Amino acid sequence: MRADRIFFHFSNRLRLAKEDGGDNGGSGTGRNDAATITKPKTKSKRPSLYRVLILNDDYTPMEFVVLVLQDVFNKSREDAMRVMLHVHNHGVGECGIYPFEVAETKVTRVMDAARKNQHPLQCVMEKQ
């Protein structure tokens, strides 16, 4: 009896074929036993995304907000200035959209930096 052979098909199916022939005393029937096994298709669910927002206050220096945006959110100087001015003019500005754990970490980093430098800057996240 010959060894089992495995054939992969592009349609995500696996076919096992056993070949009988040549080794069983020369009968040479050439019979093929085949079974098809279908792999289950798993569909990953995309994680919920959260908007990270900075809130305006009258005490935090604009330069500090720009530095936080550059450090925590990896914004360029120009993008950080644009977001900071939006926060200054509209009261709130979006820093980015992230999965829950990433958004939570960024909010914590902003709040820790503000607290460490004795600024009342507030950062929140909301589900998109």
Side-chain angles (χ1 to χ4, degrees), residues 29-100:
T29 59
R31 186 184 68 171
N32 286 334
D33 295 330
T36 302
I37 301 170
T38 310
K39 291 198 279 188
K41 295 185 180 185
T42 57
K43 185 142 187 168
S44 302
K45 185 179 175 186
R46 299 208 73 169
S48 298
L49 297 177
Y50 290 80
R51 297 172 62 203
V52 177
L53 307 170
I54 286 187
L55 307 178
N56 190 32
D57 64 73
D58 294 333
Y59 303 103
T60 304
M62 292 181 186
E63 188 59 31
F64 179 77
V65 175
V66 170
L67 291 174
V68 166
L69 289 167
Q70 288 179 301
D71 182 51
V72 176
F73 298 99
N74 299 319
K75 301 279 188 195
S76 66
R77 178 98 177 142
E78 295 76 27
D79 286 343
M81 288 291 289
R82 183 183 49 77
V83 172
M84 179 273 300
L85 287 173
H86 189 273
V87 170
H88 181 72
N89 294 326
H90 297 96
V92 65
E94 183 180 279
C95 303
I97 301 172
Y98 306 98
F100 179 81

